[in-house]
Amino acid sequence: MKLGLALGLILCAGSTRAYEWEALGGITALGGLNSFDGKRNSFSGNLDGTFAPAIKVSETWSLLPSAFAGYQGTRPLTSVLGTATVNQQSAEGRLGVRGIYARPQSRWIFKPHILYGMKFLKETTDENWGQGLFDHRQQAVGVEVERMGDDMSTLRFDITWFNETYPNYTTLESQAALQFAGLTVARELVGDHILDHSGYQFSLSGDHTLGQRAMGMAKASVVWSRFDRQHVIDEGGQFTQPTRSDLLTDVALTARMPHEWNADLRAFGALEFGLTANTSNQNGYDATRGRFNPGFYDFVEWRMVPSASLTIGPPRRPVTVTARVSWKTRRYPHRPPQEATGAYGSGVLQSTELGGGLSLSYPMAPRLRLIFSLDRVSASANQDFQAFYRYSYQSTTALAGVRWDW
């Protein structure tokens, strides 16, 4: 209902005169090898395509519809139940429309937007597409208000309603627990569609020049999620009347500095600092050991991501080399670490992830580029029991392919 109403408002905006539009899009095809915890996969790859035309409806209204489809065969990591859930393959598709309303000489810009997406995850190679336990669909409707300032500064506020459903996540209460990969998971995850949730995201961001050679960006967002089918668990492992609600807060500060030696040699550096914190009224209950863990889903995470790119050649057909390093550490203040047998220890669970990436884009034709990429992620934690959530792992992916833009 909300998606249909928003789409109607966006499409009805503007005049009846002939529209001006420009087609934009591209296809990326990459193949290579992936190694996860020392186990190397056979040759696989990733494929995605985008189509995002720009349509000028009137002097004040423009539309930016978009479509995306992608396949990832290099063991994607997703966060559903815990730190990381490993999948063999994934596929996703998204459709969206963003409207832009801007009056001449006005500093205010209004951007209503809608989105519908689907994601399919295969935990095993013999699993059929569309039957994955964590397949999900997402709908979103929102509006962004932007104010243009002086000296290239901007201020943006966005509010978005979203709804995410997991149609295949259904368990029988008589089983007392969900069997995931042949193992029993936490009591609070038992039920039908208990991962389905909806809520609102509020974000405030801005850009401002830092001297003559740098640009600073700050962003703060709050996501409130309500799980209507997931009841809060008590110390006896029983469901109570209240349902789960989460509050996810994220703050990021980024400094960006471009540098140009001449028309054919340019560089761009960036450094991001961020903080993410989640607060939930849901508790954890380990039915196997009869252990009650209040505040099980609360965490605080710090991150730092420096990156740099070097661009060589004319602006339309440059050679671009990009390097990125990431560091983040997460602390669960109410989740104790466990030994390999599952026995609970003292203290709090903490995990650290180090990542790095190197990529090369080399032009072959006016719209065709060769792509090479190498990515490495290494995660560690003081948690030895990892039957349900992956806290420690190493993943390396090397890919090569082509990118065609139009």
Side-chain angles (χ1 to χ4, degrees), residues 17-34:
R17 68 181 184 85
Y19 299 153
E20 301 176 18
W21 71 290
E22 181 179 359
L24 302 171
I27 298 175
T28 303
L30 301 172
L33 297 174
N34 169 261

Side-chain angles (χ1 to χ4, degrees), residues 5-161:
L5 178 60
L7 179 61
L9 291 174
I10 293 177
L11 294 180
C12 288
S15 66
T16 58
R17 68 181 184 85
Y19 299 153
E20 301 176 18
W21 71 290
E22 181 179 359
L24 302 171
I27 298 175
T28 303
L30 301 172
L33 297 174
N34 169 261
S35 174
F36 188 85
D37 276 350
K39 299 179 180 179
R40 191 177 69 178
N41 282 2
S42 59
F43 183 86
S44 184
N46 303 332
L47 177 67
D48 65 67
T50 58
F51 180 64
I55 305 172
K56 185 176 181 180
V57 181
S58 68
E59 292 301 320
T60 56
W61 272 101
S62 297
L63 290 179
L64 302 175
S66 63
F68 171 84
Y71 165 80
Q72 186 173 354
T74 52
R75 281 205 171 190
L77 294 172
T78 58
S79 178
V80 180
L81 293 180
T83 300
T85 301
V86 185
N87 297 277
Q88 297 296 326
Q89 302 172 65
S90 72
E92 62 179 309
R94 295 191 300 269
L95 294 173
V97 179
R98 177 177 291 269
I100 300 178
Y101 177 78
R103 295 179 64 86
Q105 310 304 321
S106 175
R107 294 192 175 190
W108 293 93
I109 304 174
F110 299 89
K111 303 176 183 179
H113 52 85
I114 62 175
L115 174 72
Y116 179 80
M118 297 184 295
K119 191 165 188 177
F120 305 95
L121 301 169
K122 294 181 65 172
E123 296 174 47
T124 60
T125 54
D126 58 352
E127 186 176 61
N128 294 326
W129 287 109
Q131 298 182 2
L133 188 66
F134 300 119
D135 291 356
H136 55 273
R137 302 169 185 173
Q138 185 182 46
Q139 306 170 65
V141 180
V143 61
E144 179 185 282
V145 181
E146 180 177 2
R147 187 184 187 279
M148 306 295 294
D150 299 325
D151 300 326
M152 299 178 63
S153 63
T154 60
L155 184 65
R156 297 174 295 274
F157 174 75
D158 183 279
I159 178 173
T160 299
W161 169 88

Side-chain angles (χ1 to χ4, degrees), residues 5 15 17 50 53 61 88 121 163 194-195 197 199 203 237 239 248 289 294 310 320 322 330 339 378 380:
L5 178 60
S15 66
R17 68 181 184 85
T50 58
W61 272 101
Q88 297 296 326
L121 301 169
N163 180 58
I194 52 89
L195 294 181
H197 61 279
S203 66
F239 296 111
L248 182 69
R289 299 168 183 82
L310 181 66
T320 304
T322 302
R330 179 178 291 193
E339 300 175 0
S378 178
S380 61

Side-chain angles (χ1 to χ4, degrees), residues 176-177 184-188 190 237 284-292 344:
T184 304
V185 300
R187 168 75 170 159
E188 69 273 11
V190 175
Y285 189 86
D286 186 343
T288 303
R289 299 168 183 82
R291 170 77 180 228
F292 176 68
Y344 288 90

